[in-house]
Amino acid sequence: MAALGTLSARSPILGTPPLGPSNRRFANAAAILDSDETPPELLRRLKAIERDFGRRRGRIWGARVIDLDIVLWSGGAWSSAGLTVPHPRFRERRFVLDPLLRVAPAWRDPVSGLTVRQLRTRLTRPTPAPR
């Protein structure tokens, strides 16, 4: 398989608690990849890598060795059958935002206009106690 592109940044691997029914922690990371491929072309290749690692599709919250997603794209937003960029739920997932903050804190979400740093702050700021 040909290279996916050039790796221009990568976060450290961060251990995070599970989302959904699991008893184990997960290892999450983010990377910036420079590629000439369109998001659907890149996604096809990422899913092939998942299959090579033994990932089988079909079970939501199912056990998996690897999960590769396109979270953001320098071209802004993209929508096609089976792919929406930015990832529809990345703004509410700390396990995505924490590693992403390490590699692209100033990257703007093309939908909200907020930076990764602002999204992470919104997600983690304490909520005021009810009066």
Side-chain angles (χ1 to χ4, degrees):
M1 178 181 285
L4 293 172
T6 303
L7 182 67
S8 60
R10 66 178 172 84
S11 74
I13 297 171
L14 304 175
T16 59
L19 179 66
S22 179
N23 295 324
R24 66 184 181 118
R25 292 182 59 79
F26 286 83
N28 291 283
I32 297 176
L33 182 68
D34 296 323
S35 173
D36 291 330
E37 294 183 325
T38 66
E41 292 168 337
L42 183 59
L43 183 65
R44 274 192 294 280
R45 294 187 1 115
L46 293 174
K47 296 308 167 189
I49 292 169
E50 288 182 351
R51 284 190 303 277
D52 288 348
F53 273 85
R55 173 95 190 252
R56 299 294 171 251
R57 305 299 296 173
R59 281 186 46 210
I60 296 176
W61 307 114
R64 56 197 174 272
V65 173
I66 191 168
D67 184 13
L68 302 172
D69 291 305
I70 301 170
V71 176
L72 292 166
W73 176 52
S74 62
W78 180 282
S79 184
S80 62
L83 177 61
T84 301
V85 179
H87 190 284
R89 292 177 300 282
F90 92 99
R91 296 167 202 88
E92 62 202 50
R93 293 183 169 172
R94 189 167 173 179
F95 68 87
V96 174
L97 291 173
D98 283 352
L100 194 54
L101 184 65
R102 307 286 186 99
V103 295
W107 198 318
R108 289 201 179 271
D109 171 11
V111 174
S112 69
L114 298 173
T115 66
V116 169
R117 184 183 318 283
Q118 290 168 324
L119 291 167
R120 168 58 170 67
T121 299
R122 280 186 166 196
L123 186 65
T124 59
R125 72 175 169 225
T127 55
R131 294 180 186 212

mmCIF file of all heavy atoms in Angstrom, residues 19-22 59-64 93:
data_model
loop_
_atom_site.group_PDB
_atom_site.id
_atom_site.type_symbol
_atom_site.label_atom_id
_atom_site.label_comp_id
_atom_site.label_asym_id
_atom_site.label_seq_id
_atom_site.Cartn_x
_atom_site.Cartn_y
_atom_site.Cartn_z
ATOM 1 N N LEU A 19 -16.040 5.446 26.285
ATOM 2 C CA LEU A 19 -17.325 6.065 26.002
ATOM 3 C C LEU A 19 -18.223 4.904 25.603
ATOM 4 O O LEU A 19 -17.946 4.212 24.643
ATOM 5 C CB LEU A 19 -17.186 7.071 24.855
ATOM 6 C CG LEU A 19 -18.438 7.789 24.410
ATOM 7 C CD1 LEU A 19 -18.936 8.713 25.520
ATOM 8 C CD2 LEU A 19 -18.161 8.607 23.158
ATOM 9 N N GLY A 20 -19.249 4.649 26.358
ATOM 10 C CA GLY A 20 -20.097 3.495 26.080
ATOM 11 C C GLY A 20 -19.716 2.313 26.958
ATOM 12 O O GLY A 20 -18.899 2.436 27.868
ATOM 13 N N PRO A 21 -20.294 1.157 26.647
ATOM 14 C CA PRO A 21 -20.132 -0.020 27.510
ATOM 15 C C PRO A 21 -18.794 -0.735 27.299
ATOM 16 O O PRO A 21 -18.679 -1.629 26.485
ATOM 17 C CB PRO A 21 -21.307 -0.908 27.109
ATOM 18 C CG PRO A 21 -21.568 -0.539 25.674
ATOM 19 C CD PRO A 21 -21.221 0.917 25.551
ATOM 20 N N SER A 22 -17.803 -0.346 28.045
ATOM 21 C CA SER A 22 -16.498 -1.003 27.983
ATOM 22 C C SER A 22 -15.849 -0.899 29.351
ATOM 23 O O SER A 22 -16.093 0.054 30.092
ATOM 24 C CB SER A 22 -15.602 -0.331 26.941
ATOM 25 O OG SER A 22 -14.345 -0.955 26.922
ATOM 26 N N ARG A 59 -20.781 -3.376 14.403
ATOM 27 C CA ARG A 59 -21.213 -3.314 15.800
ATOM 28 C C ARG A 59 -20.912 -1.942 16.368
ATOM 29 O O ARG A 59 -19.762 -1.546 16.477
ATOM 30 C CB ARG A 59 -20.482 -4.364 16.630
ATOM 31 C CG ARG A 59 -21.059 -5.743 16.473
ATOM 32 C CD ARG A 59 -20.443 -6.757 17.395
ATOM 33 N NE ARG A 59 -20.319 -6.266 18.763
ATOM 34 C CZ ARG A 59 -19.368 -6.659 19.598
ATOM 35 N NH1 ARG A 59 -18.464 -7.525 19.219
ATOM 36 N NH2 ARG A 59 -19.323 -6.189 20.815
ATOM 37 N N ILE A 60 -21.962 -1.223 16.758
ATOM 38 C CA ILE A 60 -21.759 0.052 17.434
ATOM 39 C C ILE A 60 -21.229 -0.256 18.825
ATOM 40 O O ILE A 60 -21.726 -1.149 19.500
ATOM 41 C CB ILE A 60 -23.087 0.844 17.497
ATOM 42 C CG1 ILE A 60 -23.535 1.193 16.090
ATOM 43 C CG2 ILE A 60 -22.934 2.081 18.357
ATOM 44 C CD1 ILE A 60 -24.875 1.882 16.023
ATOM 45 N N TRP A 61 -20.214 0.462 19.237
ATOM 46 C CA TRP A 61 -19.546 0.277 20.520
ATOM 47 C C TRP A 61 -18.814 -1.063 20.600
ATOM 48 O O TRP A 61 -18.422 -1.491 21.672
ATOM 49 C CB TRP A 61 -20.516 0.383 21.721
ATOM 50 C CG TRP A 61 -21.334 1.614 21.733
ATOM 51 C CD1 TRP A 61 -22.675 1.681 21.581
ATOM 52 C CD2 TRP A 61 -20.894 2.963 21.902
ATOM 53 N NE1 TRP A 61 -23.097 2.983 21.642
ATOM 54 C CE2 TRP A 61 -22.023 3.787 21.841
ATOM 55 C CE3 TRP A 61 -19.647 3.545 22.093
ATOM 56 C CZ2 TRP A 61 -21.954 5.172 21.968
ATOM 57 C CZ3 TRP A 61 -19.586 4.922 22.210
ATOM 58 C CH2 TRP A 61 -20.724 5.707 22.149
ATOM 59 N N GLY A 62 -18.645 -1.741 19.475
ATOM 60 C CA GLY A 62 -17.969 -3.029 19.488
ATOM 61 C C GLY A 62 -16.484 -2.884 19.781
ATOM 62 O O GLY A 62 -15.873 -1.848 19.544
ATOM 63 N N ALA A 63 -15.907 -3.964 20.326
ATOM 64 C CA ALA A 63 -14.469 -3.983 20.597
ATOM 65 C C ALA A 63 -13.711 -3.816 19.286
ATOM 66 O O ALA A 63 -14.109 -4.339 18.254
ATOM 67 C CB ALA A 63 -14.089 -5.294 21.275
ATOM 68 N N ARG A 64 -12.617 -3.061 19.334
ATOM 69 C CA ARG A 64 -11.820 -2.834 18.134
ATOM 70 C C ARG A 64 -10.390 -2.534 18.518
ATOM 71 O O ARG A 64 -10.131 -1.945 19.554
ATOM 72 C CB ARG A 64 -12.397 -1.717 17.291
ATOM 73 C CG ARG A 64 -12.568 -0.400 18.047
ATOM 74 C CD ARG A 64 -13.512 0.502 17.278
ATOM 75 N NE ARG A 64 -13.829 1.709 17.983
ATOM 76 C CZ ARG A 64 -14.827 1.853 18.844
ATOM 77 N NH1 ARG A 64 -15.585 0.826 19.146
ATOM 78 N NH2 ARG A 64 -15.056 3.007 19.425
ATOM 79 N N ARG A 93 -16.517 15.382 22.252
ATOM 80 C CA ARG A 93 -15.711 14.233 22.675
ATOM 81 C C ARG A 93 -14.322 14.671 23.122
ATOM 82 O O ARG A 93 -13.468 15.020 22.302
ATOM 83 C CB ARG A 93 -15.632 13.214 21.546
ATOM 84 C CG ARG A 93 -16.981 12.598 21.271
ATOM 85 C CD ARG A 93 -16.915 11.556 20.227
ATOM 86 N NE ARG A 93 -18.174 10.822 20.188
ATOM 87 C CZ ARG A 93 -18.475 9.950 19.272
ATOM 88 N NH1 ARG A 93 -17.612 9.671 18.312
ATOM 89 N NH2 ARG A 93 -19.635 9.329 19.303
#
